Amino acid sequence: MNLLSQLIAIIYPPRCHICGRFLSADEDRASSHHLCDDCLGALTPITHPICTVCGLPFSTPKGQDHPCENCLRKKPWYDSVRAPYLYSGPLMEAIQRFKYSSETQLTSSLGTLLSSFAKELVPNPQDFLTVPVPLHTRRLRERGFSQSLLLAKVVATDLGTQLDYRSLIRIRHTRAQTGLRKEERRKNVKDAFSVTYPEIIKGRKILLVDDVFTTGYTLNECARSLKKSGATVIICLTLARTLVD
Ligand SMILES: [Zn+2]
Ligand SMILES: [Zn+2]
């Protein structure tokens, strides 16, 4: 630590980005995500066996990963979705604050949790193009930032992949998926996305990044546009996922 960072640490001692408590020296040294041990311990990692396609964790703790009934019945456009944690507890609160209260200082913490997971998961990440799930320009103006782009930037930097936030766009302003019933959610995002630069997407493997997986309709619609433009493989990464769709 140089003198300047020592001075900054005295004036502004590092705090946990989720709960705000001061980090101990050990926690600060160990934590690239600026989270305290209590908040890290309260995260609920998703454990195997899971669906090999949509990543749904099965209730039985035994057995191998395999496709779930939904994915067998109708194969999604994406190849797989993976999330490190369940959407619950302090992580759910942090994601909601990140998204709806513009607490963008959470970017590095949440982004690092996702990129550490992605490093273990994605072989040869340099072959992939990282693409965030886009917001419509109207929503972007209201919110002022895109949470999936902020996460995708951290993932792309940490994995050494190219970031592309221009090719996939949202062409239809849609209602927020929150509060909609399942069938309404599917209709709400139908044909909502388009690829403006198919020549960039053609023949590429894609890491598609979003904050939370719920029904998967949004990711599936994005994946449909990307596959129709010639993407070869689509791995979706979300920070958290719900248990029921
Ligand atoms: Zn904390
Ligand atoms: Zn599945």
Side-chain angles (χ1 to χ4, degrees), residues 163-199:
L163 175 71
D164 177 3
Y165 55 89
R166 292 203 172 91
S167 298
L168 181 68
I169 57 162
R170 197 182 280 249
I171 48 173
R172 219 155 46 70
H173 179 68
T174 53
R175 294 169 59 193
Q177 293 285 75
T178 323
L180 294 183
R181 278 199 289 266
K182 203 175 162 186
E183 186 51 25
E184 292 171 331
R185 285 181 172 227
R186 194 182 62 76
K187 283 194 190 141
N188 191 38
V189 291
K190 181 103 179 72
D191 300 322
F193 302 94
S194 174
V195 171
T196 45
Y197 303 108
E199 63 278 14

Side-chain angles (χ1 to χ4, degrees), residues 51 53-56 67-68 70-71:
C51 168
V53 184
C54 73
L56 175 79
C68 74
N70 279 343
C71 293

Side-chain angles (χ1 to χ4, degrees), residues 10-54:
I10 292 168
I11 303 170
Y12 302 106
R15 285 170 178 266
C16 169
H17 281 183
I18 289 186
C19 70
R21 90 152 159 78
F22 291 115
L23 294 179
S24 69
D26 280 350
E27 285 172 334
D28 188 35
R29 259 193 303 277
S31 153
S32 54
H33 29 58
H34 308 288
L35 299 179
C36 73
D37 288 347
D38 299 330
C39 286
L40 280 176
L43 303 177
T44 316
I46 289 176
T47 50
H48 293 265
I50 59 171
C51 168
T52 45
V53 184
C54 73

